Amino acid sequence: MSRIVSVVVTPIAFRDPPLLNVSGIHEPWALRSIIEVVTEDGRYGLSESYGDEQTLSQLQKVAFRLEGVDVFHLNELKAIIEQCADSEPQQGGIELAPGTNQATTLPRIFAAFEVAFLDLMGKITGRSVCDLLGGKVRDAVPYSAYLFYKYGRHQFSQDGWVDAWGEVLTPEDVVRSARQMIDRYGFQSIKLKGGVFEPERELAAIRALREAFPEHPLRIDPNGGWTPETTKRLMPQIEGLLQYLEDPAPGKDGMAEVHRSATMPLATNMCVIGFFDFPEAITKQSVDVILSDHHYWGGLQATRDLARICETWGLGLSMHSNSHLGISLMAMTHAAAAIGNLSYACDTHYPWQEEEVIVGGKIAFEDGSVRVPDVPGLGVELDRDALKQLAHNYQECGIRSRHDVKEMQKYDSTWTGKVPRF
């Protein structure tokens, strides 16, 4: 009853707004993959992962080897992935999208299947994924309002689609965007994606947010877009404004240099992207907060292990996000609900996405949090019609790998995406 008879990997594409970051701008379509693992009694487990060509190829290689595997045997899954997934010696690194970093290949592919295996384990045993991870320590998981500078529309898209959020380029726009998101979802903390404009302009937006939302903890993430010297120069302006400062400068050395004079915690999802990064980061005292991401840290159980390491070393813990749909949101929620030392509200791009691939449509937020469902598995099921449409989008959109730099060069032919920028 628990042996696998088939695995289906479906690449999908969904609308993505023209969100700006240090590397450039999001393309009109975000790519993901939906993984279905089916057992002999017809039950299926779900997962959501990256949708770039490299990841899809690796997922397919593993999928062909999983027939007959027992879904409770995660060690066998790991062994199969090690045998057939392309990988190179693990090296720490800095990337805007660590999920496509070569160093994360094995944990990334394992995570994609592990979530589906856990979903099936839950359905077979009648327990939630959260229960399989040790049980709830909270009934709902808090998320933050994740703000972006953005254009009002994709100027080079052919179909004229315009997202509902409008242009966000000024401090006033940032406050308006925050108010829209908080009014709609009830978020209790705010994060601004930085590294887009001169730092002083972005800090003006942070000050405007502080005035408009005096009780909301604030964060800014320049994605390594500031030099250590720039960051240290800005410290007097940042004093007292931020809950934490995320990846202001590139690399462990840059972060360590900033850390020596920082007056607030430093967080990262860029210079610590796997367990292999810990020894150097701890030795150099590069960071105070790790932003985990089960998609490239190696799954939900690995996220729980990461939490224990953070607790051991006195580090804070939260979750990083990339463009995603509800299967990923629910996987994040189950993992976060089982972690006692989750220090901060998690990131999520979910409000920026209009489409969905699960039955019932978009997952609801209550006061900025997602409630953990007390049902077997992840608690979500595939909407087959929606999956068919999003798979059609993938076939038609023409995008096969995310490339923020290339998309930005359509707007500015001199754009290089080089970091640090300031």
Side-chain angles (χ1 to χ4, degrees):
M1 300 289 283
S2 62
R3 294 199 175 273
I4 297 168
V5 295
S6 66
V7 177
V8 181
V9 178
T10 305
I12 64 171
F14 50 86
R15 302 283 190 178
D16 211 13
L19 307 179
L20 297 166
N21 57 56
V22 72
S23 289
I25 186 170
H26 285 211
E27 294 166 291
W29 297 93
L31 306 180
R32 299 293 273 179
S33 55
I34 303 300
I35 298 98
E36 301 173 67
V37 177
V38 184
T39 55
E40 51 204 334
D41 63 355
R43 282 185 277 209
Y44 68 93
L46 282 178
S47 181
E48 175 188 336
S49 187
Y50 304 96
D52 59 282
E53 284 186 309
Q54 177 196 53
T55 299
L56 289 171
S57 174
Q58 292 159 342
L59 291 173
Q60 292 289 7
K61 287 179 182 179
V62 175
F64 291 134
R65 296 281 303 277
L66 293 183
E67 184 176 345
V69 172
D70 190 310
V71 298
F72 287 87
H73 292 176
L74 291 173
N75 288 334
E76 184 176 0
L77 170 65
K78 182 179 180 182
I80 290 171
I81 291 170
E82 289 174 344
Q83 291 167 13
C84 62
D86 296 330
S87 64
E88 294 179 1
Q90 292 184 336
Q91 300 289 330
I94 172 169
E95 279 198 22
L96 185 62
T100 58
N101 188 311
Q102 194 68 41
T104 66
T105 296
L106 293 180
R108 170 167 31 101
I109 302 307
F110 179 83
F113 291 106
E114 183 233 36
V115 172
F117 275 42
L118 288 170
D119 188 28
L120 266 170
M121 289 183 207
K123 291 174 178 175
I124 291 169
T125 61
R127 307 306 294 262
S128 72
V129 167
C130 185
D131 281 347
L132 299 179
L133 297 174
K136 289 189 294 186
V137 296
R138 56 182 60 84
D139 293 323
V141 173
Y143 289 88
S144 62
Y146 198 168
L147 309 181
F148 281 77
Y149 290 105
K150 62 184 295 294
Y151 294 146
R153 63 184 180 88
H154 286 285
Q155 296 178 22
F156 299 92
S157 177
Q158 300 301 310
D159 60 11
W161 175 77
V162 178
D163 73 275
W165 294 94
E167 183 178 82
V168 180
L169 298 176
T170 68
E172 294 76 18
D173 293 338
V174 171
V175 170
R176 172 184 51 77
S177 179
R179 200 172 301 282
Q180 284 179 281
M181 201 167 278
I182 289 169
D183 286 348
R184 186 175 301 182
Y185 299 102
F187 294 122
Q188 304 297 308
S189 60
I190 301 171
K191 171 178 171 175
L192 175 63
K193 177 68 76 177
V196 177
F197 300 115
E198 295 80 2
E200 288 79 2
R201 180 173 170 180
E202 295 182 348
L203 292 184
I206 291 292
R207 287 191 292 271
L209 286 169
R210 169 54 64 237
E211 182 176 354
F213 303 96
E215 303 302 322
H216 283 63
L218 304 178
R219 319 163 188 170
I220 188 170
D221 173 20
N223 275 131
W226 303 345
T227 65
E229 293 73 23
T230 294
T231 308
K232 289 186 288 185
R233 175 177 59 79
L234 295 170
M235 278 297 173
Q237 300 181 51
I238 303 174
E239 181 74 37
L241 285 176
L242 298 180
Q243 185 181 42
Y244 61 67
L245 176 59
E246 180 180 344
D247 285 310
K252 298 181 189 68
D253 289 329
M255 291 285 282
E257 184 177 345
V258 172
H259 192 270
R260 286 191 284 271
S261 59
T263 57
M264 75 289 294
L266 299 186
T268 188
N269 77 283
M270 297 179 72
C271 71
V272 181
I273 62 172
F275 294 102
F276 47 83
D277 275 322
F278 261 96
E280 183 182 358
I282 293 295
T283 299
K284 293 180 176 179
Q285 296 186 341
S286 299
V287 296
D288 304 290
V289 181
I290 303 297
L291 304 180
S292 66
D293 188 325
H294 75 272
H295 299 94
Y296 60 81
W297 272 91
L300 305 186
Q301 294 184 104
T303 302
R304 183 186 57 192
D305 294 341
L306 170 62
R308 290 172 178 157
I309 292 175
C310 288
E311 188 173 29
T312 298
W313 288 98
L315 300 175
L317 178 68
S318 189
M319 286 188 179
H320 161 262
S321 166
N322 212 320
S323 301
H324 66 86
L325 296 178
I327 299 171
S328 281
L329 180 65
M330 198 50 66
M332 294 167 65
T333 298
H334 279 274
I339 293 172
N341 58 314
L342 188 78
S343 315
Y344 305 92
C346 302
D347 295 344
T348 180
H349 284 61
Y350 196 63
W352 295 106
Q353 268 65 70
E354 295 181 352
E355 292 145 300
E356 191 46 279
V357 73
I358 58 176
V359 173
K362 298 276 287 185
I363 293 169
F365 287 80
E366 302 174 15
D367 296 324
S369 297
V370 175
R371 186 159 293 279
V372 186
D374 290 316
V375 296
L378 289 173
V380 294
E381 300 294 339
L382 266 182
D383 182 327
R384 297 289 172 182
D385 290 336
L387 178 66
K388 183 178 180 180
Q389 178 59 56
L390 298 189
H392 175 75
N393 292 348
Y394 177 85
Q395 295 301 327
E396 297 296 319
C397 74
I399 300 172
R400 291 298 177 262
S401 296
R402 176 178 169 179
H403 207 316
D404 293 10
V405 174
K406 184 178 178 181
E407 183 68 13
M408 191 65 180
Q409 287 170 346
K410 297 177 183 177
Y411 297 80
D412 178 359
S413 62
T414 66
W415 184 262
T416 65
K418 179 182 178 181
V419 292
R421 294 187 59 210
F422 304 103

